[in-house]
Amino acid sequence: MAALALAVALIFDAVTDPLAGSLSDNWKSRLGRRHPFMYASAIPLALAFVGLFSPPQELGEWGLFLWLSLFAILTRAAMTLYHVPHLALGAEMTENFEERTRIVAFRQFFAAVGSAGAMILGFGWFFADANGGRLAVENYTPYALTLAVFMVVTVIYSAYGTRREIPFLMDPPAKPKRNPFTQLALDLREGLTNRSFRWLFAGVLIVFVMAGVNSALDLYMYQYFWELSGGHMLVLSLTTVVGLVLGVFLTPTLLRLTDKRFGLILGTAAWAVFQVAPVMLRLVGWFPDNGEPALLAALIGAKFVQGLILQQAFIAFGSMMADVADEHELESGLRQEGIFFGAISFSGKATSGFGTLIAGIGLDIIRWPRGAYIQTAADVPADTIVSLGVLYGPVVAAFAVVSLWCYSHYNLSRTRHAEVLDALNEVRAEREAAAMEGGEVSAATPG
């Protein structure tokens, strides 16, 4: 039921994410297209997030299901108001092939730092073993309040700190006034005509859902398969984040020497390999036993390298989506960063929607026991723990092969993008000249 509640919220994401993109693509105001939505998201996001972690204790199972569904929807909708325009803004700030990679690298760096902060506050304090562990219900609301304050501060700071870019951003195209949902349908249809976008979106949706399955099963693996303490769980979680942070500094050089598609394929393949390897080695008896010091060291090494190389895919993908917006403008005459990055936002949240639903179904299939008595690996049948490892590693990671096949069809290389920009600048110059002849004021173009 918990998995189903998040899947219900994902259904709403399928509408609200591209809707936020469409609205911000076509919004006209003195604050530009993106910033009004970023400012408007801060307080609703904080309130919805606190509600998500604070259900009344007297609720029954169906009451909890409805509470989780409602506040997951509200939290995701408020997040979308900020996240989609924020991503689109990054694509608009420059058309330079390399600068886009640096902008996405900065974004990924702070995303990793934010994740590390949430983990340290969670595993290191609120849910530390000394404070009752992960099952201490009374600690969830204070944890959510703390993170909500950080959310408001960073959202407002991000919007205010980029306000000077507004005069240099492109104005929305002149379109007839339509119902927002009608406009959304038209924008989605137009966006899906782009071949590069279709292959990227298909690939990232598959791999993000699979990553979501693993994320939902992480605590099961840590506590029952590897039998780690709360402190070790924190170290292992932070190891991946450290790898992601350091991977940011590797990416610009790697992508400059190779290509963005190479970075995307490399990172996706590395995620799958390092997801499977520790589990498979344990199942064949070639990995340290639980409780041995070498076990934590081996897991730390695997998670660090996985994060380090996975970051190449994250950054390459974000930069590639910005390049797709240029290609799409040349083909259609429309700037639709919002629609494209709405797809990124949706695929990212699919990790906890579809991913959690699939994980929940998987736990039922392997007959995972239920109840508060399930405290240690000794409370779970040995063959069920083996099935958990197979589900977490080989079964899920196998879907990365489909994602890699999708990515292999993307062909917007550095050379092709340069050709697109040259042709696009010619079109814009002709459009501006025609507008001046007609006595119109032309829209500003990105620098």
Side-chain angles (χ1 to χ4, degrees):
M1 290 180 72
L4 180 60
L6 294 180
V8 168
L10 185 68
I11 294 172
F12 284 84
D13 285 338
V15 176
T16 57
D17 282 12
L19 179 61
S22 177
L23 287 172
S24 71
D25 278 343
N26 298 285
W27 196 263
K28 291 186 178 182
S29 78
R30 63 182 182 84
L31 292 177
R33 296 195 290 175
R34 316 297 181 187
H35 285 74
F37 298 94
M38 296 166 68
Y39 282 117
S41 69
I43 300 301
L45 174 58
L47 294 176
F49 187 76
V50 173
L52 183 64
F53 282 78
S54 310
Q57 293 188 13
E58 63 272 13
L59 291 178
E61 189 169 42
W62 277 103
L64 285 171
F65 171 79
L66 294 174
W67 185 280
L68 175 58
S69 299
L70 174 63
F71 279 93
I73 291 168
L74 293 175
T75 300
R76 290 162 176 272
M79 187 189 307
T80 293
L81 272 183
Y82 169 76
H83 191 54
V84 173
H86 164 76
L87 293 175
L89 177 63
E92 285 187 280
M93 288 170 65
T94 180
E95 291 178 339
N96 183 277
F97 195 78
E98 310 296 345
E99 284 181 356
R100 279 178 170 166
T101 298
R102 289 195 290 272
I103 287 176
V104 178
F106 273 111
R107 184 167 65 228
Q108 290 299 124
F109 173 82
F110 286 111
V113 170
S115 297
M119 289 177 188
I120 291 171
L121 284 171
F123 287 114
W125 176 251
F126 288 100
F127 310 119
D129 292 343
N131 291 327
R134 275 71 61 200
L135 301 181
V137 176
E138 66 276 8
N139 292 339
Y140 278 86
T141 297
Y143 177 64
L145 282 168
T146 303
L147 293 186
V149 171
F150 282 111
M151 289 178 185
V152 173
V153 171
T154 53
V155 165
I156 296 297
Y157 181 77
S158 172
Y160 185 76
T162 53
R163 70 194 186 284
R164 285 170 292 188
E165 298 292 332
I166 295 173
F168 306 104
L169 302 177
M170 185 173 290
D171 290 332
K175 291 182 180 179
K177 289 187 177 181
R178 297 187 179 97
N179 177 285
F181 292 97
T182 301
Q183 187 63 56
L184 169 62
L186 293 173
D187 288 344
L188 279 174
R189 185 182 66 182
E190 189 65 45
L192 288 169
T193 61
N194 186 277
R195 178 181 181 275
S196 299
F197 170 67
R198 290 198 305 271
W199 284 115
L200 281 181
F201 178 63
V204 79
L205 186 60
I206 293 168
V207 79
F208 271 18
V209 169
M210 296 308 102
V213 177
N214 287 124
S215 179
L217 296 177
D218 270 343
L219 280 178
Y220 289 86
M221 289 293 293
Y222 289 165
Q223 189 147 338
Y224 303 108
F225 191 89
W226 303 116
E227 296 184 86
L228 301 174
S229 68
H232 289 164
M233 292 180 194
L234 173 60
V235 170
L236 204 56
S237 298
L238 287 177
T239 297
T240 301
V241 176
V242 171
L244 289 169
V245 170
L246 295 180
V248 169
F249 302 100
L250 173 64
T251 306
T253 301
L254 174 68
L255 299 188
R256 187 170 59 250
L257 296 176
T258 57
D259 205 289
K260 295 178 184 179
R261 187 177 72 170
F262 175 82
L264 181 60
I265 291 175
L266 174 67
T268 303
W271 173 82
V273 168
F274 286 96
Q275 199 68 30
V276 171
V279 175
M280 292 301 296
L281 291 174
R282 160 57 62 82
L283 294 178
V284 298
W286 294 350
F287 211 69
D289 292 330
N290 291 355
E292 292 185 2
L295 172 66
L296 183 62
L299 290 175
I300 286 174
K303 289 294 185 182
F304 173 78
V305 177
Q306 185 183 46
L308 185 75
I309 306 178
L310 177 60
Q311 186 66 276
Q312 316 313 306
F314 284 151
I315 295 175
F317 182 83
S319 187
M320 290 160 77
M321 289 295 289
D323 297 338
V324 167
D326 294 332
E327 182 184 55
H328 185 64
E329 183 185 356
L330 179 62
E331 294 174 351
S332 68
L334 300 174
R335 292 295 299 187
Q336 291 188 292
E337 292 96 344
I339 284 291
F340 292 143
F341 283 99
I344 290 186
S345 180
F346 171 77
S347 61
K349 285 185 283 187
T351 63
S352 58
F354 286 138
T356 306
L357 178 62
I358 293 170
I361 294 171
L363 289 172
D364 280 343
I365 290 174
I366 66 174
R367 299 181 182 276
W368 190 263
R370 307 180 185 204
Y373 75 91
I374 309 298
Q375 298 290 329
T376 68
D379 301 318
V380 183
D383 59 340
T384 303
I385 292 180
V386 171
S387 297
L388 174 65
V390 173
L391 175 65
Y392 180 84
V395 171
V396 172
F399 284 90
V401 175
V402 181
S403 184
L404 292 172
W405 177 76
C406 292
Y407 295 151
S408 69
H409 290 77
Y410 177 90
N411 58 8
L412 189 52
S413 64
R414 180 184 283 102
T415 301
R416 169 61 183 156
H417 183 254
E419 294 171 352
V420 166
L421 279 186
D422 288 342
L424 193 55
N425 287 330
E426 291 180 8
V427 170
R428 287 173 177 168
E430 292 172 359
R431 188 187 307 150
E432 186 172 344
M436 292 180 66
E437 289 178 5
E440 301 177 4
V441 179
S442 62
T445 56

